[in-house]
Amino acid sequence: MDVEGDGRKMSEIINRLKSIQKLPACPKIIPQAIKLSQNPETPISAYEKLIAQDPALVAEVLRSVNSPFYGLRNKVSSLRLALSIIGLQEIFRIILNASFHKTFKKTFQKLSYNFDTFWAHSQYTANAAYILAKSFQPEAASEAYIAGLLHDIGLPILEEFFCEEWSDILFLCEEGMEFHQAEVNVMGLSHSDLASLLLEHWKIPEAITIPVRYHHHPQKCKKYKEIVTMVYFADRLAINLMNSSQENVTQEQFEKDDLWFEMLERYPRYRVLENEDFINQIQPYITRKIAVGV
Ligand SMILES: [Fe+2]
Ligand SMILES: [Fe+2]
């Protein structure tokens, strides 16, 4: 694995990670959902068959379709009807959100922060990555969404399963060290590496694991450059949008970033930030209550 830290510390952490009994397992439905999402011809009936296997997911779909967002006059109780109202893209997002949220919430019991706030950041990033991908590389929208949703999952893994290292990292940060540097100093790798290791262990495709690994350092990545860049910017958009005091800094911040200029040259349509409506368009979309968490 290509990380910048101390090789000995890194392999020790990897071995410990592999031996963690309580490490979350990939929800069974996910590989099948990813497969369905990769085929644009997948009929709704295939999703119906998949979702029907999980009563909790059926309940989640019905809860979503009957939420005020859809403004339906009559209550929907048929899964097929609910799925046709919600549409394929939203169905995919509900499956991912509900399944991962349930798995992670059960796993992470010792966190010093509210898991749902963490999950809200993940959802914001996923939605922003999805919207960027829809504009620039539509065929990668599903991968961008999943990478956005899981990009920071190394953080709760770190705190839950590597308590001593977590305290050492926080101590170094209090002393003034930058977080990423502190992670690498203590562990030989970062939360991005931990997250991608978990996803590799789950056999998630590398079009997702690589953007997760490089979400803080996209310049270092050669493969899947576009998805990596979209997740990187989506993460920053999510941080700014969740922090109302930073809502207006996005354009200024992005325009100081060489990578943004690189993208502008390669993809003139990336000039989205020059369009005042961009953030307005993204805001209501990503603040929608998708299934759970926010
Ligand atoms: Fe991160
Ligand atoms: Fe993040």
Side-chain angles (χ1 to χ4, degrees), residues 6-56:
D6 176 328
R8 193 183 47 81
K9 280 186 196 167
M10 186 184 80
S11 37
E12 189 208 311
I13 295 290
I14 295 175
N15 288 338
R16 275 172 58 195
L17 184 76
K18 284 182 189 159
S19 67
I20 296 169
Q21 302 277 327
K22 288 182 181 168
L23 202 65
C26 183
K28 277 194 191 122
I29 200 168
I30 297 297
Q32 296 167 67
I34 293 177
K35 221 171 169 184
L36 292 185
S37 79
Q38 284 167 337
N39 176 8
E41 307 293 319
T42 298
I44 280 202
S45 57
Y47 283 98
E48 185 187 9
K49 212 169 149 194
L50 188 64
I51 291 172
Q53 296 167 18
D54 182 345

Side-chain angles (χ1 to χ4, degrees), residues 54-279:
D54 182 345
L57 206 49
V58 173
E60 195 54 56
V61 170
L62 295 176
R63 191 179 74 78
S64 290
V65 79
N66 290 306
S67 71
F69 178 80
Y70 289 96
L72 302 176
R73 270 195 206 163
N74 300 318
K75 200 170 171 209
V76 173
S77 52
S78 138
L79 178 61
R80 170 67 66 96
L81 179 59
L83 295 178
S84 60
I85 293 169
I86 288 174
L88 291 178
Q89 293 169 355
E90 191 71 357
I91 294 168
F92 178 65
R93 287 196 288 256
I94 290 175
I95 294 175
L96 264 90
N97 266 287
S99 314
F100 281 127
H101 182 269
K102 191 172 153 198
T103 300
F104 294 143
K105 188 129 186 180
K106 210 162 53 182
T107 302
F108 301 120
Q109 304 284 336
K110 295 192 284 194
L111 303 183
S112 57
Y113 49 85
N114 183 328
F115 179 78
D116 283 344
T117 309
F118 166 83
W119 195 243
H121 168 70
S122 307
Q123 289 189 309
Y124 269 66
T125 307
N127 283 309
Y130 183 83
I131 292 167
L132 288 171
K134 274 280 171 198
S135 307
F136 305 114
Q137 204 181 28
E139 68 281 9
S142 302
E143 283 88 353
Y145 184 84
I146 306 173
L149 197 63
L150 302 177
H151 74 288
D152 269 339
I153 203 62
L155 287 172
I157 290 180
L158 226 174
E159 186 173 4
E160 184 83 23
F161 300 118
F162 297 89
C163 306
E164 262 180 47
E165 286 81 0
W166 178 250
S167 307
D168 292 347
I169 291 167
L170 294 185
F171 174 76
L172 290 178
C173 291
E174 276 166 25
E175 297 284 295
M177 192 179 282
E178 188 258 328
F179 183 71
H180 173 75
Q181 196 52 54
E183 287 182 303
V184 175
N185 272 27
V186 173
M187 316 243 305
L189 43 70
S190 69
H191 70 280
S192 325
D193 299 317
L194 272 183
S196 69
L197 282 165
L198 175 70
L199 302 190
E200 277 168 16
H201 173 67
W202 284 355
K203 306 209 175 352
I204 297 283
E206 67 171 16
I208 298 165
T209 60
I210 289 182
V212 166
R213 182 179 304 159
Y214 291 98
H215 74 266
H216 286 292
H217 298 97
Q219 305 85 342
K220 293 184 179 169
C221 180
K222 302 275 177 290
K223 250 177 152 184
Y224 302 104
K225 190 94 187 151
E226 281 78 8
I227 313 184
V228 172
T229 308
M230 288 184 275
V231 174
Y232 164 71
F233 283 114
D235 184 27
R236 297 172 67 185
L237 269 169
I239 292 167
N240 292 345
L241 288 169
M242 277 186 79
N243 182 348
S244 54
S245 63
Q246 292 190 46
E247 259 177 28
N248 301 318
V249 304
T250 305
Q251 177 143 357
E252 204 184 308
Q253 202 184 56
F254 281 22
E255 287 179 353
K256 281 184 194 153
D257 194 319
D258 288 346
L259 194 59
W260 188 254
F261 282 106
E262 221 178 273
M263 291 305 286
L264 289 181
E265 271 172 31
R266 287 165 58 202
Y267 295 91
R269 280 183 300 159
Y270 247 94
R271 294 193 179 277
V272 283
L273 289 185
E274 290 175 11
N275 176 355
E276 276 184 15
D277 288 340
F278 176 67
I279 298 296

